[in-house]
Amino acid sequence: MSTAEAKLRAVPKSDLEERIESLAPWFHNIDLNGVRTAPDHFLGDYPGAKFKRFAPHLPKDLSGKSVLDIGCNAGFYSIEMKRRGADRVLGIDSDERYLAQARLASEVLGHDDIDFAKVDVYDVGAIGEKFDLVIFMGVLYHLRHPLLALDLIREHVARDMLLFQSMQRGSKFVLELDEDYEFAEEAIFFESSYPKLHFVEREYSDDWTNWWVPNRACSEAMLRSAGFSIDKRIEEEVYLCRVADRPYAKFGSAVVYPAREAAR
């Protein structure tokens, strides 16, 4: 074989590279023992770089704690919580390919004791368990019924902490509101910093699942309305919350239907 022919030969791929490629495309760009799952990701080292910015605000030691990662995708956050010593980590997603990616990533990184299951966010009541930390990152704006999802999370699976993130657009200011307004009041709805949930009828960023995009005031108001107090905004669009009393709880449950298994 000539030198020129040798240079043209394809470099054999490792078994790991082939397994990663078979599950492409990946949205989580994870370093699996030196092999990147999405080396050409348009956001670069995502979500690793984002996580580094707010990681110091999370508990360093999760020993004895349980974690539920809703919309776990390829398992980045599930793995990070296991690295912090969480006793039980359950990652759920409605996409089988993402779950396969998560299982591969956790296996390669030595955390194959993480559980992954195909469960829709609207079916979290069927899990039958409450968790010390619920992760709900990058899911809200993909949902047709976002406030229902928050209500179900609060009702069925959140025991203490909620790590929340949503894409936000519009004003970053939060308008201080009165408790109530007269029916004739209209001007306030034209304020850019009034809580607004923007509806995307077609597509946003080439993604037909981007249904709703809140502004900052709306994200915070929805969290409070569902029964979560905001401890602090720990990074742009990211909040660390606690379970709290739900406003108007005395009038009944905010969830419009019960857990499915309870209705059978």
Side-chain angles (χ1 to χ4, degrees):
M1 180 185 296
S2 68
T3 303
E5 287 175 327
K7 288 181 179 179
L8 291 173
R9 289 185 63 192
V11 177
K13 292 182 178 177
S14 67
D15 175 64
L16 176 57
E17 288 173 316
E18 290 181 350
R19 292 176 71 188
I20 291 171
E21 193 173 283
S22 71
L23 296 173
W26 293 63
F27 187 65
H28 284 181
N29 185 11
I30 306 174
D31 184 346
L32 298 184
N33 292 347
V35 182
R36 282 279 173 180
T37 57
D40 299 320
H41 200 296
F42 73 103
L43 292 174
D45 180 18
Y46 184 87
K50 183 179 184 68
F51 179 66
K52 287 177 183 177
R53 293 195 293 270
F54 65 81
H57 298 281
L58 301 177
K60 293 181 180 179
D61 184 4
L62 290 172
S63 299
K65 303 294 185 182
S66 58
V67 178
L68 174 64
D69 185 2
I70 300 174
C72 64
N73 204 280
F76 176 87
Y77 291 106
S78 296
I79 293 167
E80 290 298 331
M81 297 307 105
K82 198 65 181 177
R83 283 173 171 163
R84 292 181 178 228
D87 279 11
R88 169 159 163 71
V89 179
L90 171 62
I92 64 171
D93 208 292
S94 58
D95 190 308
E96 288 283 12
R97 182 170 56 84
Y98 287 151
L99 291 169
Q101 291 175 353
R103 292 186 183 104
L104 174 60
S106 60
E107 172 199 330
V108 171
L109 296 176
H111 298 290
D112 53 4
D113 54 345
I114 300 174
D115 295 319
F116 294 101
K118 185 176 182 180
V119 180
D120 192 278
V121 64
Y122 304 119
D123 292 328
V124 292
I127 297 174
E129 180 182 353
K130 291 202 172 186
F131 297 80
D132 299 300
L133 170 61
V134 175
I135 299 173
F136 192 48
M137 300 273 292
V139 180
L140 185 93
Y141 49 94
H142 292 300
L143 301 176
R144 291 278 289 187
H145 312 289
L147 191 55
L148 171 61
L150 281 173
D151 286 340
L152 289 166
I153 291 168
R154 170 66 178 81
E155 183 99 348
H156 296 294
V157 292
R159 177 183 292 122
D160 184 13
M161 292 182 289
L162 174 73
L163 178 63
F164 171 86
Q165 182 271 337
S166 174
M167 173 173 63
Q168 296 175 357
R169 293 293 184 269
S171 176
K172 295 185 178 181
F173 296 98
V174 178
L175 186 65
E176 186 173 341
L177 300 173
D178 294 338
E179 188 71 20
D180 193 8
Y181 291 89
E182 296 294 333
F183 183 74
E185 171 60 53
E186 295 184 7
I188 195 167
F189 296 104
F190 292 92
E191 294 285 347
S192 62
S193 52
Y194 186 85
K196 296 180 187 293
L197 190 59
H198 308 281
F199 178 65
V200 181
E201 182 182 3
R202 300 293 183 182
E203 296 183 21
Y204 182 72
S205 189
D206 297 320
D207 188 342
W208 66 270
T209 72
N210 285 327
W211 290 109
W212 298 95
V213 187
N215 63 7
R216 178 174 293 173
C218 184
S219 290
E220 296 179 6
M222 289 176 75
L223 286 165
R224 290 190 298 268
S225 177
F228 294 101
S229 63
I230 299 171
D231 268 8
K232 53 187 171 181
R233 181 165 57 85
I234 57 178
E235 205 259 344
E236 186 69 23
E237 302 180 346
V238 182
Y239 298 86
L240 186 61
C241 309
R242 298 276 181 175
V243 168
D245 292 335
R246 182 175 56 80
Y248 309 109
K250 64 182 180 181
F251 297 111
S253 174
V255 181
V256 298
Y257 61 77
R260 291 185 181 179
E261 79 282 359
R264 292 187 183 127

